[in-house]
Amino acid sequence: MKKTILLNLFAALSICAVSAQQTPWKPAGDKILTQWGESLDPKKPHAEYPRPQLVRSNNWQNLNGSWSYAITSKNATAVPTKWDGNILVPFAVESALSGVGKRINKDEYLWYNNTIELSKDIKRKKVILHFGAVDWQSEIYVNGKLVGEHEGGFDPFSVDITSALVKGNKQTIAVRVWDPTSDGPQPRGKQINNPHGIWYTPVSGIWQTVWVESVPETFIENTKQTPDIDKGVLNFSANVQNALPGDQIHVTAFDGTTKISEVSSDVDGDLTLSVPNAELWSPTNPKLYDLTVKVLRKGKVVDEAKSYFAMRKISMGKDKNGIQRMLLNNEFVFHYGPLDQGWWPDGLHTAPSDEALIFDIIKTKEMGFNMIRKHIKVEPARWYRHCDSLGILVWQDMPSGDLGDNVWDMQPGKFSGGKLDKDRSPESEAYYKKEWKSIMDALHNFPSIVIWVPFNEAWGQFKTKEITEWTVNYDPSRLVNSASGGNFLNTGHILDIHNYPDPAIPDPRLFGDKQVLALGEFGGLGLPVEGHTWQEKDNWGYQSFKSKEELLERYTRMIGDLNKLIPMGLSAGVYTQTTDVEVETNGMMTYDRKVIKIPEAKLNELHKVLYQHKVK
């Protein structure tokens, strides 16, 4: 009898163990979900090709999906032998869509593990493992061998794993992540260990697509494409790995199926492609051209990739009153768009799907905005491709970090005293500089990006002139907004103030002859919508309303006031914000994107007046 009971108990435990291992994925926690989170297919999250500016679509394999995870002490340096459960990649461990919904701290490691099956076609050549983004410090192991390390939460990186592969198709990948969030000096954006107010839930670990591709021994690692509309050319260069003497790079530009230009040079040479009678890219005409890039060896193709470009120019010039204006393709275009933080209630930094990713951009266009300020975050490459295709001007912020120990002087020209630049440690400075350069490199080819924003509101602002001048020199094809609403040290192209809730302008008499005048943040009108908030009470906006009608009336007055500032010298305005984010309820849409607070068509009609100014 005892034997039978023991056998039955063993069988029950075995069933429980199997059941635990096969527990189906579901969102963690009880926070609101988007429609895309509710319908997410865990077998193929973010299945799209992730690198639109350098496409080899036939030689890649998506590794998103269910991985094993474990949270261990930092004393545990070896790959775990036991795992806590499954996590859905590429969603951060704290997010609902990861299926985990747990926090980690500075004394812990987050581990990932996955046994993949590489196709024979991929394994036959050199194999590169790609990560869209991992926050923050990571070590990569393949079949137990350390193959790479990376520090940076917002920039993509790659590891050559060819030498670590074993016989057979099955290969094991492990990733170790350490993320101190606000306990460390690294760039982190709006994450904080104690979320409150305008500071949000931490995002740790893998949060963008993981994938592998096969490449030949000699391959195109990246390209750099910079348009010059005044000369009618595209300046082009490529980084080719393991090239041999005599290898050439051959680039062909197409308008649809029509070849418009082609040119060849040595692989380490710079090329200039003629683009005669170019159709210029703008929000009203987002014209894109295609590229084919080949490495040739004795006339034979060694490697080939597809890309695209646009002909557009961002610059500044004085109007008839001597005030600097922002120019697109040598003409004044008022920039007006929302502060877009790119946060999701179910995915945090990661949109639930590519359809969700493009939804915000489409709605922004439908609302009549022509610009997005991507605030304190970097998006996956596909987001920028959508902006390129749909026609949205992008101001790209550098994610901040290492805050405190300096004052925030909010009024340009009225310095109240104190230390404007923070004294950061050499380690902290190095983290910032390395990641800012990597971000600029990764995003250079996207024509929608027209402005770089190194600092915001004095958050971790340091060596402002040095950082700004380096940014200006590193990418002279764009304007640099040194410190959006931050400490103003007379550097860069733009003077950008923040003012809540009403629109305002820096004094054109003091600053207008030297820098473009911008209103980098204003508005913040709040309307909590019951059933669509992060929490049931204690939500806020800079000014809150009880009905959509009240909100519309106040916003309409704001647009009227903003419009009056444009003839005075204002070149841009940024309204806070695209969506609600956690306890902030000042979005044009609710956090779950299910309610639009002011109809798109009404907003579009209101905004038309802002683009009718003909400044000369």
Side-chain angles (χ1 to χ4, degrees):
M1 186 68 173
K2 285 184 178 180
K3 185 176 181 180
T4 303
I5 292 173
L6 288 172
L7 286 173
N8 288 338
L9 179 60
F10 178 77
L13 289 172
S14 298
I15 291 171
C16 287
V18 172
S19 177
Q21 292 173 358
Q22 298 178 349
T23 301
W25 169 89
K26 66 177 181 179
D30 58 359
K31 297 294 187 181
I32 54 175
L33 301 173
T34 64
Q35 60 175 312
W36 306 280
E38 292 169 343
S39 61
L40 178 65
D41 182 354
K43 294 181 180 178
K44 49 181 181 179
H46 286 279
E48 300 81 11
Y49 188 84
R51 192 183 56 197
Q53 276 284 3
L54 190 68
V55 178
R56 295 187 192 90
S57 56
N58 295 325
N59 302 314
W60 77 291
Q61 188 173 328
N62 194 313
L63 302 184
N64 292 342
S66 183
W67 291 48
S68 299
Y69 84 96
I71 299 173
T72 71
S73 164
K74 279 185 70 177
N75 295 325
T77 56
V79 178
T81 56
K82 295 182 180 180
W83 300 93
D84 297 345
N86 294 329
I87 183 169
L88 190 62
V89 170
F91 299 103
V93 67
E94 297 91 346
S95 72
L97 295 184
S98 71
V100 179
K102 292 181 181 179
R103 302 264 186 96
I104 63 171
N105 62 52
K106 62 182 176 60
D107 298 317
E108 294 175 321
Y109 284 141
L110 169 63
W111 291 86
Y112 294 81
N113 194 73
N114 193 13
T115 298
I116 65 171
E117 190 164 333
L118 285 181
S119 71
K120 292 181 180 179
D121 289 341
I122 287 182
K123 196 181 175 187
R124 189 177 296 123
K125 297 181 179 180
K126 182 183 290 289
V127 180
I128 310 295
L129 175 61
H130 298 279
F131 294 85
V134 181
D135 195 352
W136 170 70
Q137 185 186 82
S138 53
E139 290 186 352
I140 316 302
Y141 298 82
V142 173
N143 298 314
K145 179 181 179 181
L146 178 64
V147 293
E149 302 172 82
H150 182 73
E151 290 177 334
F154 298 90
D155 57 319
F157 66 98
S158 304
V159 181
D160 183 344
I161 64 172
T162 312
S163 63
L165 300 179
V166 296
K167 291 183 178 180
N169 292 336
K170 291 187 177 181
Q171 315 291 330
T172 300
I173 300 172
V175 181
R176 192 193 79 183
V177 176
W178 179 62
D179 181 23
T181 307
S182 50
D183 287 331
Q186 79 289 348
R188 57 179 169 84
K190 297 293 285 287
Q191 312 169 56
I192 195 169
N193 287 328
N194 176 30
H196 62 278
I198 64 170
W199 308 102
Y200 316 135
T201 302
V203 174
S204 301
I206 299 169
W207 67 274
Q208 290 187 30
T209 291
V210 185
W211 56 294
V212 290
E213 71 169 334
S214 63
V215 296
E217 185 65 26
T218 299
F219 67 98
I220 305 159
E221 186 174 43
N222 54 59
T223 66
K224 185 175 183 179
Q225 297 144 206
T226 309
D228 185 334
I229 69 167
D230 297 324
K231 295 181 178 179
V233 300
L234 178 75
N235 296 310
F236 179 96
S237 62
N239 184 10
V240 178
Q241 291 294 313
N242 305 317
L244 298 181
D247 286 353
Q248 287 201 316
I249 192 87
H250 183 83
V251 186
T252 309
F254 295 89
D255 182 359
T257 58
T258 302
K259 182 191 297 185
I260 59 173
S261 183
E262 62 181 333
V263 64
S264 298
S265 83
D266 294 338
V267 291
D268 57 354
D270 294 333
L271 298 87
T272 301
L273 282 89
S274 174
V275 188
N277 303 312
E279 192 174 339
L280 302 183
W281 183 97
S282 72
T284 56
N285 183 47
K287 172 67 177 180
L288 300 177
Y289 294 92
D290 293 319
L291 281 177
T292 298
V293 185
K294 298 177 182 179
V295 177
L296 302 178
R297 179 172 298 153
K298 296 179 179 179
K300 293 184 178 180
V301 177
V302 175
D303 189 28
E304 179 176 350
K306 304 290 185 182
S307 189
Y308 69 93
F309 69 98
M311 298 298 291
R312 69 98 185 91
K313 176 184 177 182
I314 187 73
S315 61
M316 57 190 282
K318 290 185 179 181
D319 64 17
K320 63 181 181 181
N321 297 317
I323 296 174
Q324 292 286 359
R325 294 288 189 162
M326 197 136 54
L327 307 179
L328 179 67
N329 300 330
N330 297 320
E331 295 182 358
F332 174 70
V333 174
F334 186 74
H335 291 211
Y336 185 55
L339 192 78
D340 191 307
Q341 308 205 55
W343 281 75
W344 302 81
D346 39 17
L348 301 180
H349 267 178
T350 311
S353 68
D354 194 66
E355 182 183 3
L357 195 67
I358 197 174
F359 176 86
D360 283 3
I361 307 170
I362 290 172
K363 288 300 171 186
T364 298
K365 286 284 289 188
E366 291 177 352
M367 291 174 182
F369 295 106
N370 68 354
M371 176 264 278
I372 288 172
R373 180 182 169 200
K374 179 49 62 178
H375 187 47
I376 314 295
K377 184 198 175 192
V378 178
E379 293 288 358
R382 290 186 61 85
W383 186 87
Y384 299 94
R385 167 71 206 215
H386 294 321
C387 290
D388 292 345
S389 300
L390 293 171
I392 282 282
L393 301 164
V394 175
W395 294 19
Q396 179 60 55
D397 288 12
M398 170 62 180
S400 56
D402 201 0
L403 280 61
D405 298 327
N406 61 326
V407 300
W408 178 17
D409 191 49
M410 298 177 64
Q411 297 296 326
K414 298 179 181 179
F415 180 48
S416 57
K419 184 168 59 179
L420 297 181
D421 272 345
K422 176 184 173 66
D423 293 326
R424 293 173 76 153
S425 69
E427 178 188 44
S428 175
E429 286 191 16
Y431 289 148
Y432 176 100
K433 292 176 180 177
K434 179 176 67 174
E435 192 156 359
W436 186 221
K437 179 181 182 298
S438 295
I439 289 168
M440 290 179 66
D441 287 341
L443 300 183
H444 179 87
N445 289 347
F446 294 105
S448 54
I449 299 175
V450 292
I451 292 173
W452 299 118
V453 188
F455 298 112
N456 177 76
E457 292 187 354
W459 298 347
Q461 188 173 339
F462 76 103
K463 294 185 177 178
T464 305
K465 289 190 176 183
E466 175 188 321
I467 297 298
T468 301
E469 290 168 10
W470 179 88
T471 305
V472 169
N473 292 329
Y474 194 64
D475 185 6
S477 71
R478 293 179 169 96
L479 299 183
V480 178
N481 183 0
S482 175
S484 181
N487 289 328
F488 309 101
L489 296 173
N490 193 24
T491 185
H493 303 107
I494 299 170
L495 179 64
D496 171 341
I497 64 169
H498 294 177
N499 197 75
Y500 285 100
D502 293 293
I505 183 176
D507 190 339
R509 296 168 299 179
L510 296 178
F511 309 105
D513 65 326
K514 296 178 181 179
Q515 292 177 299
V516 171
L517 304 179
L519 176 61
E521 292 182 28
F522 80 103
L525 304 181
L527 177 65
V529 179
E530 186 176 355
H532 300 277
T533 55
W534 180 253
Q535 59 190 32
E536 291 185 6
K537 59 181 182 178
D538 298 326
N539 298 290
W540 71 279
Y542 289 92
Q543 184 176 1
S544 294
F545 299 87
K546 295 182 179 179
S547 70
K548 293 180 180 179
E549 291 75 20
E550 290 180 354
L551 178 66
L552 173 58
E553 191 276 332
R554 182 71 172 94
Y555 183 79
T556 301
R557 283 193 284 121
M558 276 190 171
I559 293 301
D561 293 339
L562 180 67
N563 187 50
K564 295 174 185 177
L565 301 178
I566 301 174
M568 295 171 58
L570 192 68
S571 280
V574 179
Y575 179 81
T576 301
Q577 59 186 325
T578 307
T579 72
D580 297 346
V581 183
E582 297 202 357
V583 302
E584 293 184 61
T585 56
N586 46 23
M588 288 295 187
M589 297 183 281
T590 54
Y591 199 14
D592 57 11
R593 279 70 168 175
K594 292 180 179 178
V595 178
I596 296 173
K597 300 177 187 179
I598 301 176
E600 301 95 303
K602 181 62 180 177
L603 288 169
N604 194 303
E605 190 64 30
L606 283 174
H607 296 159
K608 284 180 180 178
V609 66
L610 302 175
Y611 309 124
Q612 294 175 358
H613 295 269
K614 303 298 181 182
V615 174
K616 296 182 180 179

